[in-house]
């Protein structure tokens, strides 16, 4: 008869094989299917509810460059700035769903955004803090008029009517409150008369998102007032049905697969790489991330897709994930030598730029995106060419503070923490026929920088651990317990059998 130890050893080996099968094949397949089901957006599902209303607000931090020597800049001095902030806002996003496609693979929506000032997180700063900042709306109107041949005559009238249009400006800088500069609006065109009224009407009809008409007929400029409320852009994104790896991937924006913002290829109908819409809106990412891969986000605020590259493994409050950040191809590698000269719109005259019309490394002209001569850089002009940084005092670039990054749970694509960090600037320069600008130095002047991102709160961390991490840990324990236990039992019983066999004494030969 077969010794009992061999039978137990064989059973142990079977348990070990079962443990290996479960741990390396069955459990991963189960988890994979479960994740697929959980990320697909279906009407009435938990994921649909999280899609419509983000489980927690995003963090929106604003840092303002307060100008400390505005009077001297008017006489040609190099600007000196001082960063103040952050002014912290909670950004609530709610999607108003329009419809699903017939096959359920697409969903269309309009996104509403609401900002609430977080006084505790902002302290000691308040929205009533006084600042001296670049007069963005006046500078924008002057430069647009200078760059548009059809508005050349307007410059003559603008110079004579600056007082009536822009509240008797003494410099290219405005003294205002943070509340007005960011959201409520810095008022101008207050009860204009004659030609000044005609100029104000033309400014109003230009359709700039940052300039709104007030109830008394005046105009007001603010950086983000237009974002606070109902959205207008119609997004169509993939629901993940049929292909979970494409979940939340933007398919269309305002019924178009591509932008019409940047330059296109000379061939008719050929869309340039700059106008392509790639990736998600950064509220979530596709699941099943792999080390070494990259992914895209699309930002409507800067009218472009941005590629993020894997950097390293991370742990966020016990949740494992991957860190991604932008690469050199964001705003450093731009021009014909990088096959993306479509970003070189060359809309600004007499500014610091290369001979081919492209800006120097680290700066992107958003004129065609925002209908205003705004220049994008990283905060404190991190990585920007010395042609821009050397003309400003007070900048302190720091990669840890100013680089865009996001930490993502690799299995589900859930963002754990991170932030999009960008800075908005304008060229300050002398403009022909405008007396107030005649002694200005030509510099790229910083206005504000913002960080828009998320840090998964304690409630969401607990929910995430309960739903996924603890389950994975349990399955992992079962896997290794059965594998190692089975192998241990099989080996021990086999050793016991061999040991017992060795104790058997052969009978003597007669």
């Amino acid at each position: 008869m077969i010794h009992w130890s061999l039978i137990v050893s064989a059973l142990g080996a079977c348990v070990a094989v079962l443990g290996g099968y479960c741990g390396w094949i069955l459990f991963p397949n189960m988890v994979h299917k479960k994740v697929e089901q959980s990320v697909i957006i279906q009407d009435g599902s938990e994921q649909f509810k999280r899609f419509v209303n983000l489980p927690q607000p995003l963090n929106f931090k604003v840092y303002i460059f307060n100008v400390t020597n505005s009077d001297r800049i008017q006489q040609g001095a190099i600007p000196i700035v001082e960063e103040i902030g952050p002014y912290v806002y909670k950004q609530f996003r709610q999607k108003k769903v329009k419809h699903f496609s017939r096959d359920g693979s697409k969903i269309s929506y309009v996104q509403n955004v609401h900002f609430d000032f977080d006084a505790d997180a902002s302290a000691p700063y308040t929205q009533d803090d006084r600042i001296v900042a670049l007069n963005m709306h006046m500078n924008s109107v002057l430069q647009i008029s200078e760059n548009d041949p059809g508005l050349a005559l307007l410059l003559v009238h603008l110079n004579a009517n600056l007082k009536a249009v822009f509240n008797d400006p003494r410099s290219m800088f405005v003294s205002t409150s943070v509340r007005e500069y960011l959201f409520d609006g810095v008022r101008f065109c207050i009860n204009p008369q004659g030609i000044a009224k005609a100029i104000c009407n033309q400014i109003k009809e230009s359709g700039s998102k940052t300039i709104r008409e007030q109830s008394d007929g005046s105009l007001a400029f603010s950086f983000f007032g237009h974002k606070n409320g109902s959205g207008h852009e119609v997004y169509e994104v993939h629901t993940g049905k049929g292909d979970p790896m494409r979940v939340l991937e933007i398919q269309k924006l305002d019924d178009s697969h591509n932008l019409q913002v940047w330059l296109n290829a000379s061939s008719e109908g050929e869309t340039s790489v700059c106008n392509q819409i790639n990736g998600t809106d950064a509220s979530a990412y596709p699941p099943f991330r792999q080390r070494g891969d990259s992914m895209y986000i699309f930002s409507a605020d800067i009218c472009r897709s941005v590629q993020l590259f894997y950097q390293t493994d991370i742990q966020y409050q016990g949740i494992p994930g991957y860190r991604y950040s932008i690469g050199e191809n964001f705003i450093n590698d731009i021009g014909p030598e990088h096959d993306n000269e479509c970003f070189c719109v060359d809309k600004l005259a007499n500014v610091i730029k290369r001979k081919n019309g492209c800006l120097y490394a680290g700066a992107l002209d958003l004129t065609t995106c925002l209908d205003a001569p705004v220049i994008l850089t990283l905060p404190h002009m991190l990585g920007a060419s010395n042609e821009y940084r050397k003309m400003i005092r007070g900048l302190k670039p720091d990669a840890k503070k100013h680089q865009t990054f996001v930490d993502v749970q690799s299995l589900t694509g859930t963002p754990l923490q991170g932030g999009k960090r960008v800075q908005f600037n304008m060229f300050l320069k002398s403009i022909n026929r405008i007396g107030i600008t005649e002694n200005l130095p030509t510099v790229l002047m910083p206005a504000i920088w913002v960080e828009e991102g998320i840090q998964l709160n304690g409630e969401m961390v607990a929910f995430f651990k309960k739903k996924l991490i603890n389950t994975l840990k349990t399955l992992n324990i079962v896997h290794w317990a059965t594998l190692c236990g089975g192998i241990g039992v099989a080996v021990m019983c086999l050793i016991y059998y061999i040991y017992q066999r060795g104790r058997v004494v052969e009978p003597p030969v007669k």
Side-chain angles (χ1 to χ4, degrees):
M1 294 179 64
I2 301 176
H3 195 275
W4 67 265
S5 60
L6 286 179
I7 297 174
V8 175
S9 179
L11 289 174
C14 290
V15 171
V17 170
L18 180 62
Y21 169 76
C22 289
W24 289 312
I25 299 176
L26 180 62
F27 291 166
N29 287 340
M30 288 172 53
V31 171
H32 195 282
K33 289 181 180 178
K34 191 66 177 178
V35 170
E36 281 188 356
Q37 294 171 0
S38 68
V39 301
I40 294 173
I41 301 169
Q42 295 176 312
D43 196 2
S45 68
E46 288 298 317
Q47 176 70 346
F48 177 78
K49 295 175 183 177
R50 290 191 292 268
F51 170 76
V52 172
N53 288 294
L54 289 183
Q56 70 175 81
L58 300 181
N59 299 319
F60 191 79
K61 300 178 182 180
V62 185
Y63 300 80
I64 299 173
F65 289 101
N66 189 53
V67 182
T68 63
N69 64 334
S70 57
D71 291 339
R72 294 192 61 205
I73 297 171
Q74 285 297 128
Q75 304 305 316
I78 291 178
I80 302 174
V81 297
E82 176 187 21
E83 176 191 287
I84 57 173
Y87 296 89
V88 184
Y89 298 82
K90 294 179 179 177
Q91 184 190 105
F92 297 88
R93 291 185 181 184
Q94 183 182 48
K95 297 179 178 70
K96 184 178 180 181
V97 175
K98 297 176 73 68
H99 59 80
F100 282 89
S101 62
R102 288 185 178 181
D103 63 358
S105 66
K106 312 289 191 309
I107 184 172
S108 299
Y109 66 90
V110 173
Q111 182 163 261
N112 299 331
V113 179
H114 179 69
F115 294 87
D116 277 348
F117 182 66
D118 190 335
D120 292 336
S122 302
Y125 301 106
T126 75
Q127 291 191 100
D128 296 319
D129 292 344
R130 301 297 297 181
I131 57 172
V132 175
L134 180 63
N135 192 327
M136 298 286 284
H137 53 288
M138 182 169 75
N139 195 34
S140 179
V141 169
L142 293 177
Q143 290 195 31
I144 289 173
S145 300
E146 178 191 39
N147 296 326
D148 188 339
L151 298 176
L153 186 61
L154 181 63
L155 285 174
V156 179
H157 298 300
L158 265 173
N159 190 53
N161 288 274
L162 279 183
K163 179 177 181 179
V165 174
F166 296 109
N167 306 341
D168 194 15
R170 302 301 172 89
S171 74
M172 292 299 292
F173 303 91
V174 60
S175 176
T176 185
S177 71
V178 170
R179 185 193 309 272
E180 291 172 340
Y181 200 57
L182 298 183
F183 284 97
D184 286 2
V186 180
R187 294 175 65 220
F188 64 105
C189 283
I190 301 173
N191 194 29
Q193 302 295 324
I195 294 177
K197 185 174 183 178
I199 293 172
C200 289
N201 286 335
Q202 192 159 359
I203 294 172
K204 180 172 62 176
E205 291 170 3
S206 68
S208 172
K209 295 178 181 179
T210 59
I211 295 176
R212 294 180 296 172
E213 185 175 9
Q214 305 298 291
S215 57
D216 62 357
S218 65
L219 302 179
F221 160 84
S222 68
F223 262 101
F224 306 114
H226 66 285
K227 295 182 63 175
N228 202 7
S230 300
H232 301 287
E233 297 94 350
V234 179
Y235 287 85
E236 181 184 272
V237 302
H238 206 289
T239 64
K241 184 178 180 181
D243 189 355
M245 290 296 292
R246 299 184 65 188
V247 66
L248 292 176
E249 181 183 283
I250 298 172
Q251 306 295 296
K252 290 182 181 179
L253 179 61
D254 289 334
D255 206 34
S256 176
H257 291 287
N258 301 293
L259 300 175
Q260 297 298 325
V261 172
W262 309 99
L263 302 174
N264 270 322
S266 56
S267 302
E268 187 175 349
E270 187 176 345
T271 301
S272 67
V273 64
C274 305
N275 279 319
Q276 293 175 2
I277 299 175
N278 299 311
T280 72
D281 69 350
S283 61
Y285 302 90
F288 313 122
R289 311 309 311 161
Q290 299 292 324
R291 290 182 183 87
D293 65 3
S294 66
M295 57 189 183
Y296 281 91
I297 59 174
F298 174 76
S299 175
D301 292 335
I302 61 174
C303 302
R304 66 163 295 184
S305 302
V306 180
Q307 191 173 14
L308 300 173
F309 298 89
Y310 167 84
Q311 297 296 315
T312 186
D313 287 25
I314 58 94
Q315 284 275 340
Y316 178 78
Q317 297 188 30
I319 302 175
Y322 298 152
R323 172 160 294 182
Y324 293 81
S325 68
I326 58 173
E328 294 293 318
N329 63 345
F330 177 40
I331 49 177
N332 281 357
D333 294 345
I334 291 178
E337 66 273 29
H338 303 292
D339 296 323
N340 59 4
E341 62 269 32
C342 42
F343 284 126
C344 302
V345 294
D346 199 13
K347 288 289 185 178
L348 305 176
N350 304 317
V351 298
I352 305 171
K353 59 184 177 181
R354 296 190 285 168
K355 291 181 179 180
N356 62 4
C358 298
L359 298 182
Y360 286 99
L364 178 66
D365 186 352
L366 297 182
T367 300
T368 55
C369 170
L370 303 179
D371 294 321
V374 176
I375 307 299
L376 181 79
T377 67
L378 293 182
H380 286 253
M381 299 189 188
L382 174 67
S385 173
N386 196 44
E387 275 81 1
Y388 301 131
R389 290 188 291 111
K390 70 181 181 181
M391 298 301 294
I392 299 289
R393 299 287 184 268
L395 298 179
K396 300 175 182 178
D398 183 334
K400 291 184 178 180
K401 295 179 180 179
H402 303 141
Q403 185 72 281
T404 290
F405 80 98
V406 62
D407 293 341
V408 177
Q409 206 290 315
S410 53
L411 196 59
T412 64
T414 303
L416 303 173
Q417 69 170 339
K420 295 185 294 183
R421 296 163 172 167
V422 292
Q423 179 171 307
F424 298 101
N425 317 263
M426 266 190 181
F427 278 108
L428 192 65
K429 61 173 186 169
S430 175
I431 298 175
N432 189 32
R433 300 181 182 180
I434 303 297
I436 200 172
T437 71
E438 60 184 0
N439 294 320
L440 290 175
T442 301
V443 298
L444 184 58
M445 190 75 198
I448 66 171
W449 74 269
V450 300
E451 177 181 331
E452 182 180 69
I454 190 173
Q455 281 188 314
L456 216 60
N457 59 29
E459 181 182 349
M460 287 304 300
V461 167
F463 171 82
F464 203 87
K465 286 183 176 179
K466 179 181 178 182
K467 288 289 187 179
L468 180 67
I469 303 302
N470 292 344
T471 300
L472 292 176
K473 286 181 178 179
T474 301
L475 294 177
N476 199 43
I477 291 171
V478 172
H479 164 216
W480 288 109
T482 53
L483 179 64
C484 295
I487 291 174
V489 169
V491 171
M492 288 176 65
C493 287
L494 188 59
I495 292 173
Y496 178 78
Y497 172 76
I498 295 171
Y499 172 74
Q500 289 296 327
R501 289 270 299 185
R503 293 184 61 187
V504 176
V505 179
E506 296 183 3
V509 178
K510 292 182 179 180

